[in-house]
Amino acid sequence: MTSTTPTASALSTTATTSTTSVASWDDLVAAALLGTERRTPPVAPRPGQDAPSALLDAAALSTVRRRAGLRPAPARPLPGRAPEDPRPALPTAARSRLALLLADRSAPGRGGPRSAPDLAELLPQWLALANHHGYRVPDALLPALLDAARARTDLRPEALTLGGPRALWLARLNPDWKFALRGAAGRAPTPLPEPSDVAAAPDDEQRLWEEGLFAERVSLLASARHRDPAAGLALLSGTWSTERAEDRLMFLDSLRDDLSPSDEPFLEQALSDRSRNVRATAAELLSALPGSALAARMAERSRGCVALTTDEPTAGERIAVRPPDECDSGMQRDGIVAKSPSGRGKRSWWLGQLVEATPLDRWSEWFGGRTPAEIVALPVTDGWQADLHAAWCRAAVRQHSAEWCRALLGTPAVAPVTAGEAAPAAWRDPAKLLSALPARERAEWVAEFIASHGLSDAFRLLGVCTVPWAEPLGHAVVDALDIARDAGSYPWSFSGVMGLAERCLDPSQADRLEVLTAIPDETEGAAPGAGGYWAEAFQRLVGTLRLRAAMQAELAPA
């Protein structure tokens, strides 16, 4: 049987007779882009044919010729088998819930009534709860989960943890998900896909450290440090001198979680690093080790700047401050930044850095055994109180000293609320100081703060409290919202607190809030439409709390 399909040579012959063989593909494309009126096509039209048609015919023939002349390329090797994930599968109801949350995330608009729960805002909490129970994501939902994490950076740590080793395996096959390969530094390490068991094979672990992707190396370092801090540090030390400055900074920062006195020699060497950021991070880590040589050097410098003195006329004891006159090379090697920020005096800038790097227990030793509360209560001479106390605040947070944080916070009823107020203690940052306190004490302090100051100044404080909010914090927030509602306050100013309450209130509060979902009578002077807004806001809050309760029940192990 004779085939009627034209061969490549026949097409080439046709192209030659129509003079298209002399026209290159680039010439054809250029003429098409500019238009035949602006550039004469490099082909001769047939009788009765216009120039655009001739150009398109020539392009079609050239395309067929180019395709026919292609040689088959060798097939790419198939990807390796996906690693096993031994974690338990999600319960059926929880799997359906995750599919719904991911589908709602990709919807073109929120839609629905304003009183309906915002499913997109529940996704982070669902992921955290699923990881708490140790589940793995269903394989069929892994692409949608990676897409969600690609769109929202706040989802990535929990999403990649839930995705486990298969998320990294899949990310290697799709450049849209490459964030997963470089974003493992800020999350708990998960088993790496290649090799499947690096902990059991030291040679494979060393090979992965030397040849792996950066995210794999960070995850490997964190895992090794958690398993054996000395072995992890040896891994890093072996290649430290050949790493890029930005990589050295990330690796150094990963030492925070398992920091110990045995890390001091390595960190002391890092104080001489070529990168200023690496030197500063090394100094910060050393100052978090109260027994380090750097902490001792900083303490000695601070002791020369801050001392207890007696005011002769009143026989009262005060703290006298004399900041350093210069920032010498030794101070700079120990992490003191010589150049002060704009608007800040150099000497006060140096003083603050010295004091925040000084072990806090030295102050009790130097000040006659006084407690932190007694030291904070001492007057400070010559207007240096704000600088000194601000440095103590930073030291208390860095050194995780609950006793000093408690002393610097003071009583919630008189605590400073904003950084711009003129009160003597306005430089304090209650939110950071609260982070060093136990969760229960944190909640009680913020509850008392809300009772004294209301919700307007409590937003940042609520953000550092453990979820779900422990009592009496939940009751304090609900009571304050109820008071604002009854007073006819401008409702939109509380939308941020309402959003936090949806995510952080204990779901058991839903029944108590049911009575607030009714539209109240508008009082004289109330904001127009406030009653309807408050009713919708509380309806959404109640609905969200009940949905969170359902999510918790679905994820609970059988």
Side-chain angles (χ1 to χ4, degrees), residues 450-451 454-455 474-486 494 534:
I450 291 172
L455 286 171
H475 276 75
V477 171
V478 172
D479 289 344
L481 288 171
D482 191 14
I483 291 171
R485 169 182 175 271
D486 290 342
F494 294 92
W534 281 112

Side-chain angles (χ1 to χ4, degrees), residues 33-241:
L33 291 175
L34 292 173
T36 56
E37 293 182 355
R38 296 179 60 189
R39 171 172 289 191
T40 302
V43 295
R46 297 192 304 272
Q49 186 183 38
D50 58 13
S53 298
L55 177 62
L56 292 175
D57 284 350
L61 286 171
S62 181
T63 299
V64 173
R65 184 173 66 251
R66 284 157 57 90
R67 290 177 177 174
L70 289 177
R71 294 182 178 180
R76 292 183 178 181
L78 293 175
R81 183 181 178 87
E84 295 297 327
D85 191 338
R87 295 176 296 175
L90 285 169
T92 302
R95 175 177 178 149
S96 299
R97 179 73 65 188
L98 176 59
L100 181 63
L101 293 174
L102 292 173
D104 182 80
R105 181 206 67 82
S106 60
R110 176 177 149 72
R114 289 185 299 177
S115 58
D118 187 350
L119 298 184
E121 290 304 313
L122 289 176
L123 182 56
Q125 193 168 114
W126 188 97
L127 292 173
L129 192 58
N131 286 326
H132 174 74
H133 290 298
Y135 292 118
R136 60 177 171 85
V137 68
D139 294 339
L141 293 179
L142 187 51
L145 181 63
L146 287 170
D147 282 339
R150 179 193 179 197
R152 288 181 57 177
T153 56
D154 63 309
L155 295 178
R156 290 180 184 179
E158 296 290 355
L160 294 178
T161 299
L162 187 69
R166 291 194 169 193
L168 296 181
W169 175 85
L170 197 59
R172 286 192 177 90
L173 306 178
N174 186 344
D176 288 345
W177 300 327
K178 60 185 177 182
F179 69 87
L181 303 178
R182 64 172 182 260
R187 64 185 178 91
T190 56
L192 294 172
E194 296 176 7
S196 60
D197 187 10
V198 296
D203 292 341
D204 290 341
E205 183 177 83
Q206 185 66 36
R207 187 180 305 110
L208 182 62
W209 174 251
E210 294 175 354
E211 302 174 4
L213 296 171
F214 177 70
E216 292 175 325
R217 300 180 70 209
V218 172
S219 182
L220 175 62
L221 177 61
S223 177
R225 284 278 297 177
H226 186 69
R227 183 178 70 250
D228 184 348
L233 188 62
L235 202 65
L236 178 59
S237 301
T239 59
W240 179 258
S241 61

Side-chain angles (χ1 to χ4, degrees), residues 429-474:
D429 189 344
K432 289 184 178 179
L433 293 171
L434 281 168
S435 64
L437 297 182
R440 181 75 185 187
E441 184 179 355
R442 209 181 308 169
E444 291 172 351
W445 197 96
V446 177
E448 189 176 341
F449 181 93
I450 291 172
S452 302
H453 300 280
L455 286 171
S456 300
D457 298 310
F459 187 79
R460 289 192 66 235
L461 306 184
L462 289 169
V464 300
C465 292
T466 304
V467 178
W469 290 334
E471 296 306 335
L473 180 55

Side-chain angles (χ1 to χ4, degrees), residues 382-429:
D382 300 328
W384 287 103
Q385 179 174 331
D387 293 283
L388 181 60
H389 283 218
W392 278 339
C393 286
R394 295 191 296 272
V397 173
R398 180 185 295 184
Q399 298 176 36
H400 306 287
S401 173
E403 189 178 9
W404 272 88
C405 286
R406 203 172 289 121
L408 289 161
L409 275 168
T411 305
V414 296
V417 290
T418 64
E421 65 182 32
W427 28 261
R428 297 181 192 167
D429 189 344

Side-chain angles (χ1 to χ4, degrees), residues 323-324 327 336-341 344-356 384 387 394:
C327 184
I336 301 298
V337 179
K339 186 176 181 180
S340 62
R344 180 82 181 271
K346 292 189 297 184
R347 298 181 70 199
S348 67
W349 171 245
W350 300 334
L351 173 71
Q353 295 178 81
L354 289 176
V355 172
E356 73 176 276
W384 287 103
D387 293 283
R394 295 191 296 272

Side-chain angles (χ1 to χ4, degrees), residues 235-429:
L235 202 65
L236 178 59
S237 301
T239 59
W240 179 258
S241 61
T242 62
E243 303 288 355
R244 300 182 305 166
E246 54 268 34
D247 292 349
R248 293 199 304 275
L249 181 62
M250 291 294 293
F251 289 140
L252 198 61
D253 195 64
S254 68
L255 302 182
R256 292 181 187 274
D257 290 342
D258 297 287
L259 191 65
S260 70
S262 62
D263 299 325
E264 183 180 355
F266 176 80
L267 295 174
E268 275 285 344
Q269 291 181 353
L271 290 176
S272 302
D273 195 87
R274 301 184 301 275
S275 167
R276 183 180 64 181
N277 291 332
V278 171
R279 295 195 302 270
T281 302
E284 182 184 347
L285 293 175
L286 282 168
S287 67
L289 296 172
S292 67
L294 179 137
R297 294 193 295 269
M298 291 297 197
E300 191 62 28
R301 295 176 181 125
S302 293
R303 190 173 188 181
C305 297
V306 183
L308 195 62
T309 186
T310 301
D311 190 344
E312 292 298 339
T314 61
E317 289 185 307
R318 295 173 175 269
I319 298 176
V321 175
R322 187 181 182 279
D325 296 316
E326 63 174 343
C327 184
D328 57 36
S329 59
M331 292 169 60
Q332 293 183 48
R333 181 183 181 276
D334 284 345
I336 301 298
V337 179
K339 186 176 181 180
S340 62
S342 177
R344 180 82 181 271
K346 292 189 297 184
R347 298 181 70 199
S348 67
W349 171 245
W350 300 334
L351 173 71
Q353 295 178 81
L354 289 176
V355 172
E356 73 176 276
T358 298
L360 289 166
D361 57 5
R362 300 294 181 90
W363 299 107
S364 295
E365 176 186 333
W366 297 335
F367 289 177
R370 285 177 170 82
T371 65
E374 292 170 336
I375 293 173
V376 170
L378 288 170
V380 182
T381 61
D382 300 328
W384 287 103
Q385 179 174 331
D387 293 283
L388 181 60
H389 283 218
W392 278 339
C393 286
R394 295 191 296 272
V397 173
R398 180 185 295 184
Q399 298 176 36
H400 306 287
S401 173
E403 189 178 9
W404 272 88
C405 286
R406 203 172 289 121
L408 289 161
L409 275 168
T411 305
V414 296
V417 290
T418 64
E421 65 182 32
W427 28 261
R428 297 181 192 167
D429 189 344

